[in-house]
Amino acid sequence: MRFILLTKKQVLGLTAVMIAIIITTAVSLTVFASSSKLLPIYNVSTESKKIAISFDAAWGNDDTQTLIDTLAEYGVVATFFVVGDWVDKYPESVKQLSDAGHQIQNHSDSHPHMTNLSTNEMITELKNCNEKIAKITGKTPTLHRCPYGDYNNNVIEAIQSIGMYAIQWDVDSLDWKENATAESIANRVISKTKNGSIILMHNDADHTPEALPTILKTLKEQGYEFVFIEDLIYKENYEILHDGTQCKIEN
């Protein structure tokens, strides 16, 4: 057996090489783990001044008709994410929203934390809500917004497994907060909106009806066109960046 004697300088050199290899491997694994995280669509990369406004409906219903009237006044279409239990309580409002030209999409059947459910339970939540909406509107939803914005890879995979798209938002109005005012809601939305933004509001927050006219009027004056989220997103040949931005992949 032969032994190789190394100088101190050679030992230090080999140690440095090994450390570099370990660091490079760790970084590579970190990048892989990061890139393997599945994300919903937060906003869309586009040069067009198109945006989408959306409302989550899970609890009350006092302001829905006011929202319909305001949206009609400004000629704006909106996407409403509704919970199946809300559909059960207010079927007439679901029909009114649909008849007014707005899209009704899926916000789960009972508003659970989807990450706490099994895959079968997630799919049951999605399908039950879809069936309730389709029964009233004649249209099966294609989009789902997770309750509480709570998701993980299993949730995204379950949504995609039944041909639906997971939707988040990049402009949060925070209209549900106790200290929110019509002015703070409007200022927040207007200041954060950009091309391809998806705006989150709620159908029964205290100051949303008061804030909405300012939001719609100002953003339209800035040249934005309001479209349905379904028409804003890319349906194929796309990627979702680390911040949730959906980008078109050019062939």
Side-chain angles (χ1 to χ4, degrees), residues 58-248:
W59 315 119
N61 192 39
D62 292 342
D63 300 322
T64 304
Q65 186 57 53
T66 301
L67 299 181
I68 292 174
D69 294 341
T70 302
L71 291 165
E73 180 181 351
Y74 289 91
V76 169
V77 294
T79 303
F80 284 78
F81 288 91
V82 303
V83 172
D85 287 348
W86 192 86
V87 177
D88 291 335
K89 292 178 182 177
Y90 309 109
E92 71 288 346
S93 289
V94 176
K95 188 174 188 309
Q96 288 167 353
L97 286 166
S98 180
D99 288 349
H102 304 296
Q103 279 199 352
I104 316 299
Q105 298 288 356
N106 187 309
H107 196 33
S108 80
D109 194 43
S110 62
H111 208 268
H113 282 279
M114 297 286 276
T115 54
N116 293 337
L117 306 182
S118 68
T119 297
N120 286 338
E121 289 171 332
M122 293 179 206
I123 291 175
T124 296
E125 283 282 332
L126 296 169
K127 288 186 173 180
N128 285 351
C129 184
N130 277 354
E131 289 171 3
K132 292 176 181 180
I133 293 170
K135 186 176 180 180
I136 295 173
T137 67
K139 300 176 183 177
T140 300
T142 59
L143 312 178
H144 172 75
R145 174 173 285 160
C146 295
Y148 311 104
D150 182 25
Y151 65 86
N152 57 22
N153 280 15
N154 291 337
V155 175
I156 303 299
E157 287 171 349
I159 296 167
Q160 294 175 344
S161 74
I162 59 172
M164 300 184 74
Y165 297 86
I167 303 297
Q168 201 82 334
W169 60 85
D170 68 317
V171 180
D172 190 345
S173 66
L174 299 181
D175 57 355
W176 53 271
K177 284 198 166 185
E178 288 186 6
N179 62 347
T181 64
E183 183 178 9
S184 70
I185 294 167
N187 288 342
R188 181 178 178 82
V189 171
I190 292 166
S191 66
K192 293 182 176 296
T193 297
K194 62 183 186 298
N195 292 4
S197 280
I198 297 174
I199 300 166
L200 168 66
M201 304 190 79
H202 296 81
N203 76 308
D204 200 48
D206 288 343
H207 301 289
T208 299
E210 184 183 353
L212 189 58
T214 300
I215 292 170
L216 301 183
K217 180 177 184 292
T218 303
L219 292 178
K220 290 194 75 172
E221 287 176 347
Q222 292 178 0
Y224 288 106
E225 176 188 358
F226 289 87
V227 299
F228 295 125
I229 294 175
E230 188 177 59
D231 296 331
L232 181 67
I233 66 174
Y234 304 117
K235 304 295 179 57
E236 55 186 18
N237 298 325
Y238 67 85
E239 63 179 344
I240 299 177
L241 304 183
H242 65 89
D243 63 351
T245 299
Q246 186 195 41
C247 300
K248 183 75 172 177

